[in-house]
Amino acid sequence: MLITILVTLQFNGGNAGILPGKVTVEITNNLSDYQLGVHCKDKNHDLGFQVLPIGGSYNFKVSPNLFLNNTLYFCNFNWITEAHWFNIYDQERDDCDDTCHWDIVATGPCKVKEDSLDCFHWNNAIKAA
């Protein structure tokens, strides 16, 4: 019975405030001189390749996992001769209510918070050939 109620609430958008709703992940190109190539995916969904002009943004929605708390999306980022990747949405790490906003800079992604930036290192650096 409880599972039926939880599933019903999830399909109704979680409006009762019990279940987590979808989270919007927003990525902004804050590189000073370059377009940014972005390719995001999780283990089941490939969101395709996007090109962001300087100052441009791209967003997508993710559904946090109610039971396992393990939703994970990662993105490849590239410009000129640089290529990097980062776990752009990690349900265990990210405490976003409805939006996770990331500014992408050359040294790594920075999560935009209400009054600060929380900057991270790239997962690893891949030199483009």
Side-chain angles (χ1 to χ4, degrees):
M1 178 71 162
L2 178 60
I3 291 177
T4 303
I5 293 169
L6 292 174
V7 169
T8 301
L9 287 172
Q10 183 71 26
F11 285 115
N12 287 332
N15 293 335
I18 297 171
L19 301 176
K22 291 193 175 197
V23 173
T24 299
V25 176
E26 184 170 359
I27 300 166
T28 299
N29 176 6
N30 274 351
L31 297 171
S32 58
D33 297 322
Y34 304 113
Q35 294 187 123
L36 177 66
V38 180
H39 187 183
C40 299
K41 57 176 112 176
D42 74 353
K43 66 182 177 181
N44 298 314
H45 306 96
D46 186 333
L47 303 178
F49 184 77
Q50 309 292 320
V51 177
L52 304 182
I54 297 167
S57 295
Y58 163 67
N59 68 66
F60 59 92
K61 294 192 180 295
V62 301
S63 297
N65 186 314
L66 173 65
F67 300 107
L68 300 177
N69 201 36
N70 67 350
T71 302
L72 178 69
Y73 275 78
F74 62 92
C75 298
N76 294 310
F77 298 94
N78 59 70
W79 64 95
I80 305 299
T81 60
E82 296 286 327
H84 303 280
W85 69 280
F86 183 73
N87 295 336
I88 203 71
Y89 181 79
D90 182 337
Q91 187 176 354
E92 288 184 15
R93 177 196 66 209
D94 296 324
D95 56 351
C96 309
D97 289 328
D98 60 353
T99 303
C100 278
H101 184 180
W102 293 89
D103 284 347
I104 305 302
V105 298
T107 55
C110 295
K111 187 189 298 183
V112 178
K113 296 189 171 189
E114 192 171 314
D115 56 358
S116 66
L117 290 176
D118 189 8
C119 295
F120 293 79
H121 295 287
W122 296 113
N123 285 45
N124 67 351
I126 307 166
K127 281 292 188 186

